[in-house]
Amino acid sequence: MPRLVMKFGGTSVATVERIRNVARHVAREVRAGYEVAVVVSAMSGKTNELVAWCRDASPLYAQSEYDAVVASGEQVTSGLLAIVLSEMGIRARSWQGWQIPIETTDQHGSARIQGIDGARLDAGFRRGEVAVVAGFQGIHPASGRLTTLGRGGSDTSAVAVAAAIGAERCDIYTDVDGVYTTDPRVVTRARRLERVAFEEMLEMASLGAKVLQVRSVELAMVHRVPTTVRSSFDDPDDARPGTLICDEDDIVEQQIITGIAFSKDEAQITLRRVKDKPGIAAAIFGPLADANINVDMIIQVVSGDASTTDMTFTVPAGDYERARAILDAQAGIVEFERIEGATDVVKISAIGVGMRSHAGVAAKAFRALAEKGINIRAITTSEIKFSVLIDAAYTELAVRTLHSLYGLDKA
Amino acid sequence: MPRLVMKFGGTSVATVERIRNVARHVAREVRAGYEVAVVVSAMSGKTNELVAWCRDASPLYAQSEYDAVVASGEQVTSGLLAIVLSEMGIRARSWQGWQIPIETTDQHGSARIQGIDGARLDAGFRRGEVAVVAGFQGIHPASGRLTTLGRGGSDTSAVAVAAAIGAERCDIYTDVDGVYTTDPRVVTRARRLERVAFEEMLEMASLGAKVLQVRSVELAMVHRVPTTVRSSFDDPDDARPGTLICDEDDIVEQQIITGIAFSKDEAQITLRRVKDKPGIAAAIFGPLADANINVDMIIQVVSGDASTTDMTFTVPAGDYERARAILDAQAGIVEFERIEGATDVVKISAIGVGMRSHAGVAAKAFRALAEKGINIRAITTSEIKFSVLIDAAYTELAVRTLHSLYGLDKA
């Protein structure tokens, strides 16, 4: 029999009544002839409550104990869904991460899945059981301790289970009905995508689209697990298919640009009139790297007299103050006139595997933005995307302009 | 180093603040030189919340899934206490039942402990760690599934862990400061006992004293684990020792009667003018036993003409209606004139190992109750206790009378 993984997030299992609705989605797929593994998150709000207790217990709590506390949330949901399924006449049993086992590294709080043994789940399928798997959690085999996977970890659990049991597909049920060409709250003409390539989805997730966590997309791409994003709030007997994330080759009518993402989580730092000498870049960026600050866009402009240079780059908004303090401390080693900074900036990205085979895609965007009077502060490009940094005030205008420019508006 | 088990119930760990207080009790014993295992219950109210969700999910929930859901409560507390201990500079780690493992039968919801492997806890002690053990839960080894031990299970976990690690003592911290000669709410002159014998405690627990669950006392008696009942609300730096439950031989000045217990959870049933013939007792009590109704006191009085008999016995109050219905259904087989019943009755028991070596202890009580005009409906006796069934209206008078009679009143 074909196998299917279905994943439901916290809002979809927030109450016993909603868990009943989840069970109806599962029942539909069981009737359709699938062997089903369901991966569930904690009831929404529960994880926050558990995290708050840990912080209250000690701001410096051990991550290993945090994992023991927080993993309990998914344990509860898995048991409740198994009960509801049984009541509907569907054989089911709950599986904790350690029972399968889902083996992870020992980086408590943000462990990575190392391997999943599918043998016990296989035996369950042979008994005709739906496997209800607690998401987000695993076990570190050497220590025998509970681990959790970090934010969005249940998506990663779902994709990993799908790969382990050879599922035909992994359906991620969430509170949106698919992946859009851009944020529909910003662009009313945003369209839901029927299909999107793994690599495009990976870029979208990295660049600010909140639908799926980056790691789950990476895993789906590596293991070639067709994954959908679809709504858990659809009528279970009339559910829409959502957006399929799949191999590039499985997308027949490929657009040049598939989506426009934007991230306000950016800050710009400019060092004016830096005395240019060998090793200057290392002197600036080395200490930032040591402090785990991720520098993204970098632009260097040589000034008129050629002995100094202006250096502009971006860091995550949350690291802005820390980055400035580090650079101030480097003032003795790096000679510059002054530091300037801006936090009211936004990074806008256009993504599409079609860029590989089409020239001049980004240039078209630079012209269109210039025509609207939007000043570009920085640019980065890669094989399948380009990003521009602009003033945050122009976010909506810029996103709408690019969305129309690349033919993404819905009719 | 000597070892100690400390157990804290739901009210003692109801909030993070109270967990901090628990940690201070633990710190005191660590400073005193003990290797400590702490057994914790779920935060009070949490288990009820989890049980309510299971019932809401399905009134016919599978006990195995109930166990997965409910065991999460102790998991949370164990992690939080480990965090708080670490913050206080005390090395600690949490242990779930399956991690130790605490192996149980597969009677989900009321599993019995089969064995505890102390090796991993030993290794933890060698690392200088306090072991924080989630109470109430275990694992069924063959299925690998979570189990729970039923009501009061954490007390049983604590005693079993104490036996497994060879602890010098098991301290049960609770919301009372020890075991009393009787309920202090009924008799203001009730005294806290310094020591009580295992067998006496077992009878007291069976006969209505709510301090400890019967199974934990049985286990302590079998494994000869000296166990105390003491208050978790004492100042951790000035905590009273509570009551020690120990071997009879360790009690120097043994009283004849140690305590007076009473239970209102009783109902009386009388069958009038039962036609006496061989097998009549089996016809009455067989169906009750089949229905798992526990018949306690039985009195048979032959009537004047010797061909019929009046049969009186007690059942738990909660089974009263069911018992009457079963007997009504037997009316064709057992010939009797009518059934009478009473639920406003109380069973009062006097317990003391000293009864073994003293004659006439019970007879003294019957006289004293008669002098107060209290009618005795039924009597049972055993080696170390006797019980009388009386009208509930006389509860306080009877308990006070016996309490004074056997010299238990405090000065």
Side-chain angles (χ1 to χ4, degrees):
Chain A
M1 277 163 83
R3 289 179 175 175
L4 183 67
V5 170
M6 308 172 72
K7 183 263 170 179
F8 293 88
T11 53
S12 308
V13 295
T15 62
V16 172
E17 198 42 50
R18 289 206 190 157
I19 291 173
R20 264 190 259 281
N21 193 57
V22 164
R24 286 190 280 265
H25 281 284
V26 175
R28 181 190 65 236
E29 303 295 358
V30 169
R31 281 196 306 270
Y34 282 106
E35 290 178 342
V36 177
V38 196
V39 176
V40 287
S41 300
M43 295 160 106
S44 73
K46 277 292 144 189
T47 302
N48 289 347
E49 180 184 60
L50 295 166
V51 171
W53 283 338
C54 289
R55 290 205 179 119
D56 191 8
S58 170
L60 300 168
Y61 54 77
Q63 286 286 347
S64 53
E65 299 301 345
Y66 165 95
D67 282 355
V69 172
V70 172
S72 69
E74 283 71 21
Q75 181 169 327
V76 170
T77 324
S78 65
L80 292 177
L81 179 54
I83 291 172
V84 169
L85 285 168
S86 300
E87 172 160 90
M88 292 171 63
I90 297 169
R91 288 188 70 160
R93 76 153 273 194
S94 64
W95 290 92
Q96 307 312 311
W98 58 269
Q99 289 176 319
I100 294 176
I102 295 177
E103 297 187 344
T104 75
T105 62
D106 64 352
Q107 295 158 279
H108 286 284
S110 57
R112 298 184 75 94
I113 294 175
Q114 299 277 66
I116 297 180
D117 184 343
R120 291 185 188 158
L121 294 180
D122 284 347
F125 291 136
R126 283 196 296 275
R127 292 191 296 268
E129 288 169 6
V130 168
V132 185
V133 177
F136 184 63
Q137 51 165 258
I139 184 172
H140 177 241
S143 67
R145 300 214 65 176
L146 291 167
T147 55
T148 66
L149 307 180
R151 265 187 87 70
S154 290
D155 290 347
T156 307
S157 302
V159 173
V161 167
I165 65 173
E168 184 178 292
R169 208 173 66 235
C170 178
D171 287 346
I172 309 278
Y173 286 80
T174 177
D175 50 4
V176 298
D177 62 357
V179 180
Y180 277 72
T181 49
T182 193
D183 188 336
R185 286 167 301 184
V186 170
V187 180
T188 52
R189 301 183 119 182
R191 273 189 300 115
R192 183 157 53 83
L193 293 160
E194 267 184 48
R195 296 188 171 212
V196 56
F198 288 121
E199 282 148 301
E200 291 171 333
M201 192 66 222
L202 192 58
E203 292 286 2
M204 285 187 191
S206 311
L207 294 169
K210 295 276 187 288
V211 184
L212 281 181
Q213 288 298 314
V214 174
R215 282 172 56 197
S216 63
V217 182
E218 281 173 355
L219 209 58
M221 187 165 81
V222 168
H223 293 285
R224 294 285 181 251
V225 177
T227 298
T228 73
V229 173
R230 51 193 297 187
S231 172
S232 66
F233 296 107
D234 277 1
D235 175 356
D237 295 316
D238 190 22
R240 291 167 295 168
T243 298
L244 178 67
I245 306 158
C246 60
D247 250 24
E248 201 175 318
D249 297 342
D250 295 332
I251 303 176
V252 180
E253 289 188 49
Q254 186 67 61
Q255 304 286 316
I256 295 171
I257 294 295
T258 304
I260 311 294
F262 59 93
S263 163
K264 293 186 173 169
D265 178 35
E266 307 287 330
Q268 178 189 336
I269 292 176
T270 299
L271 299 180
R272 291 288 178 207
R273 301 183 68 80
V274 181
K275 187 103 180 261
D276 207 359
K277 55 183 178 190
I280 191 71
I284 294 171
F285 297 117
L288 295 175
D290 292 344
N292 265 320
I293 295 174
N294 194 21
V295 173
D296 182 14
M297 305 164 123
I298 301 176
I299 297 174
Q300 187 170 346
V301 181
V302 177
S303 56
D305 62 6
S307 70
T308 64
T309 182
D310 287 354
M311 193 81 92
T312 294
F313 52 90
T314 61
V315 296
D319 292 330
Y320 175 65
E321 295 298 340
R322 217 153 51 90
R324 286 204 58 153
I326 288 167
L327 293 167
D328 282 334
Q330 286 293 96
I333 298 152
V334 181
E335 293 172 62
F336 54 83
E337 197 178 282
R338 65 183 187 278
I339 303 187
E340 294 170 0
T343 52
D344 53 345
V345 293
V346 65
K347 182 169 71 174
I348 297 180
S349 309
I351 298 115
V353 291
M355 283 178 74
R356 284 206 202 96
S357 46
H358 289 78
V361 176
K364 210 170 140 187
F366 304 151
R367 270 197 305 276
L369 294 173
E371 278 165 18
K372 301 280 182 186
I374 301 171
N375 182 39
I376 297 174
R377 291 162 163 264
I379 298 171
T380 53
T381 62
S382 78
E383 213 186 1
I384 66 161
K385 62 116 188 169
F386 67 86
S387 303
V388 294
L389 191 75
I390 63 169
D391 286 355
Y394 294 99
T395 307
E396 289 77 10
L397 179 60
V399 172
R400 280 187 208 125
T401 299
L402 298 186
H403 198 264
S404 297
L405 180 68
Y406 295 114
L408 299 176
D409 292 355
K410 78 176 157 198
Chain B
M1 277 166 83
R3 290 179 175 174
L4 183 68
V5 170
M6 308 172 73
K7 183 263 169 179
F8 294 88
T11 52
S12 308
V13 295
T15 63
V16 172
E17 198 42 49
R18 290 206 189 157
I19 291 173
R20 263 189 259 283
N21 192 57
V22 164
R24 286 190 280 264
H25 281 283
V26 175
R28 181 191 65 236
E29 303 295 359
V30 169
R31 281 197 306 269
Y34 282 107
E35 291 178 341
V36 177
V38 196
V39 176
V40 287
S41 300
M43 295 160 107
S44 73
K46 279 291 146 189
T47 302
N48 289 346
E49 180 184 62
L50 295 166
V51 171
W53 283 339
C54 289
R55 290 206 179 118
D56 190 8
S58 169
L60 302 168
Y61 55 77
Q63 286 286 348
S64 53
E65 299 301 345
Y66 165 96
D67 282 356
V69 172
V70 172
S72 68
E74 283 71 20
Q75 181 170 325
V76 170
T77 325
S78 65
L80 292 177
L81 178 55
I83 290 173
V84 169
L85 285 167
S86 299
E87 172 159 88
M88 291 171 63
I90 297 169
R91 288 188 70 160
R93 76 154 273 193
S94 64
W95 290 92
Q96 307 313 310
W98 57 269
Q99 289 176 319
I100 294 175
I102 295 177
E103 297 187 343
T104 74
T105 62
D106 65 351
Q107 294 159 278
H108 286 284
S110 59
R112 296 184 77 93
I113 294 174
Q114 299 277 69
I116 297 180
D117 184 343
R120 292 186 187 158
L121 295 179
D122 284 347
F125 290 136
R126 282 195 298 274
R127 291 190 296 268
E129 289 168 4
V130 168
V132 185
V133 177
F136 184 63
Q137 51 166 257
I139 183 173
H140 177 240
S143 67
R145 301 212 65 176
L146 292 165
T147 55
T148 67
L149 306 180
R151 264 187 87 70
S154 291
D155 290 348
T156 307
S157 303
V159 174
V161 167
I165 65 172
E168 185 178 292
R169 205 173 69 234
C170 177
D171 286 347
I172 309 278
Y173 286 81
T174 176
D175 49 5
V176 297
D177 62 356
V179 180
Y180 278 72
T181 48
T182 192
D183 187 337
R185 286 167 301 185
V186 169
V187 181
T188 51
R189 302 185 118 183
R191 273 190 300 114
R192 183 154 54 83
L193 293 161
E194 267 184 48
R195 297 188 170 211
V196 56
F198 288 122
E199 283 148 301
E200 291 172 333
M201 193 66 223
L202 192 59
E203 292 285 1
M204 286 187 191
S206 310
L207 294 169
K210 296 274 188 289
V211 185
L212 282 180
Q213 288 298 314
V214 174
R215 281 171 56 198
S216 63
V217 182
E218 281 173 355
L219 210 59
M221 186 165 79
V222 168
H223 294 285
R224 294 287 182 248
V225 177
T227 299
T228 73
V229 173
R230 52 193 298 187
S231 172
S232 66
F233 297 106
D234 276 1
D235 176 355
D237 295 316
D238 190 23
R240 291 166 296 167
T243 299
L244 178 67
I245 307 158
C246 60
D247 250 23
E248 202 175 317
D249 297 342
D250 295 332
I251 304 177
V252 179
E253 291 189 48
Q254 186 68 61
Q255 304 287 315
I256 295 172
I257 295 294
T258 303
I260 311 294
F262 59 94
S263 163
K264 293 185 172 168
D265 178 36
E266 307 287 330
Q268 178 188 337
I269 293 175
T270 300
L271 300 180
R272 290 289 179 205
R273 301 182 68 79
V274 182
K275 187 102 177 263
D276 207 359
K277 56 184 179 189
I280 192 71
I284 293 171
F285 297 118
L288 294 175
D290 293 344
N292 265 320
I293 295 174
N294 194 21
V295 173
D296 182 16
M297 306 165 120
I298 301 176
I299 298 174
Q300 188 171 348
V301 181
V302 178
S303 57
D305 60 9
S307 70
T308 65
T309 182
D310 287 354
M311 193 82 92
T312 293
F313 53 89
T314 62
V315 295
D319 292 330
Y320 175 66
E321 296 297 340
R322 217 153 53 89
R324 287 203 58 152
I326 288 166
L327 293 167
D328 282 335
Q330 287 292 96
I333 300 151
V334 181
E335 291 172 64
F336 55 83
E337 199 179 280
R338 65 182 187 280
I339 303 186
E340 293 170 4
T343 53
D344 53 345
V345 293
V346 65
K347 182 170 70 175
I348 297 181
S349 310
I351 299 112
V353 291
M355 284 178 75
R356 285 207 201 97
S357 46
H358 289 79
V361 176
K364 210 170 138 187
F366 304 152
R367 271 197 305 277
L369 294 174
E371 279 165 17
K372 302 280 182 184
I374 300 171
N375 182 39
I376 298 174
R377 292 162 163 263
I379 298 172
T380 54
T381 63
S382 78
E383 213 187 1
I384 66 161
K385 61 116 189 171
F386 67 86
S387 303
V388 295
L389 191 74
I390 63 169
D391 286 355
Y394 294 98
T395 307
E396 288 77 10
L397 179 61
V399 172
R400 280 188 208 126
T401 300
L402 298 186
H403 199 264
S404 297
L405 179 68
Y406 295 114
L408 300 176
D409 292 355
K410 76 175 157 198

